Amino acid sequence: DAGVTQSPTHLIKTRGQQVTLRCSPISGHKSVSWYQQVLGQGPQFIFQYYEKEERGRGNFPDRFSARQFPNYSSELNVNALLLGDSALYLCASSFTPTGGYEQYFGPGTRLTVT
Amino acid sequence: KNEVEQSPQNLTAQEGEFITINCSYSVGISALHWLQQHPGGGIVSLFMLSSGKKKHGRLIATINIQEKHSSLHITASHPRDSAVYICAVSPTGNQFYFGTGTSLTVIP
């Protein structure tokens, strides 16, 4: 069975542009979470979605948005990119959003903003 | 203030040594996770625990809920164990709090 997949693997954008990152969860998993990991730091929680509804949001500006589709895949959108948005964006899926279930992480999308 | 603190930040060990990485947290949790991240970014979940102790191969994770503390032990360390080890806690499941990670280098 395939693990969590993310696309693209790497992405280079310029300041002010918009970007869309994609995540497909493990089959059967209905919860998807997004994290931002700046170089040298631990991941920071951005969003959690479950059954197409937002269940949690971290301390990120409104330039960051996400959605989950009926097949439980998810997209993360970032508008008006800033240099500080350069990071590894990780997606993780779990069966449910409760803390008692393991999260499985994708390989990440490395975004570079120039 | 970070909800999750890890120590040490960096650790260098000789092959075969016993390694301990510590994690302290300040919030009530439903579960604590130990993650491994190799260069390039991929994260692998090593353990999820809410009480007691778990063992997988040479890795052992313990948690003390009352003291809000967890440890990850690696016995007979090997160069392939070199990675960043991250502690994460989930208070409600809607949000994870991550430590900044412990960078482990095991020298042959």
Side-chain angles (χ1 to χ4, degrees), chain B residues 86-103:
Chain B
I86 302 172
C87 172
V89 299
S90 51
T92 63
N94 287 347
Q95 173 155 186
F96 269 58
Y97 296 104
F98 291 82
T100 54
T102 294
S103 179

Side-chain angles (χ1 to χ4, degrees), chain B residues 18-106:
Chain B
F18 180 85
I19 289 164
T20 295
I21 300 170
N22 295 300
C23 173
S24 295
Y25 53 93
S26 58
V27 295
I29 65 170
S30 57
L32 180 144
H33 304 250
W34 280 103
L35 311 170
Q36 182 192 56
Q37 186 172 32
H38 281 283
I43 289 182
V44 174
S45 179
L46 298 174
F47 293 104
M48 182 187 70
L49 63 166
S50 54
S51 66
K53 173 180 172 178
K54 286 189 176 181
K55 184 177 189 292
H56 185 255
R58 297 180 293 105
L59 301 179
I60 303 167
T62 63
I63 188 169
N64 185 319
I65 296 294
Q66 287 73 30
E67 295 185 3
K68 295 186 176 178
H69 181 269
S70 176
S71 293
L72 176 68
H73 306 286
I74 304 176
T75 62
S77 59
H78 190 276
R80 65 175 174 267
D81 296 327
S82 298
V84 175
Y85 292 84
I86 302 172
C87 172
V89 299
S90 51
T92 63
N94 287 347
Q95 173 155 186
F96 269 58
Y97 296 104
F98 291 82
T100 54
T102 294
S103 179
L104 171 65
T105 302
V106 181

Side-chain angles (χ1 to χ4, degrees), chain A residues 14-88:
Chain A
T14 57
R15 279 178 295 177
Q17 286 189 314
Q18 175 264 341
V19 68
T20 297
L21 311 180
R22 295 175 178 83
C23 172
S24 292
I26 288 173
S27 177
H29 285 188
K30 300 180 179 180
S31 178
V32 170
S33 298
W34 287 96
Y35 302 91
Q36 180 197 64
Q37 186 177 26
V38 174
L39 193 64
Q41 298 181 20
Q44 296 288 319
F45 172 76
I46 310 176
F47 286 110
Q48 184 183 69
Y49 275 77
Y50 176 66
E51 293 281 15
K52 302 184 294 267
E53 290 188 1
E54 182 183 301
R55 295 293 293 267
R57 173 187 280 257
N59 189 23
F60 279 80
D62 291 342
R63 298 185 297 108
F64 289 76
S65 63
R67 56 180 174 168
Q68 186 177 34
F69 299 98
N71 66 355
Y72 304 111
S73 66
S74 178
E75 286 182 350
L76 175 70
N77 295 284
V78 187
N79 293 323
L81 286 166
L82 304 174
L83 294 178
D85 296 330
S86 295
L88 179 69

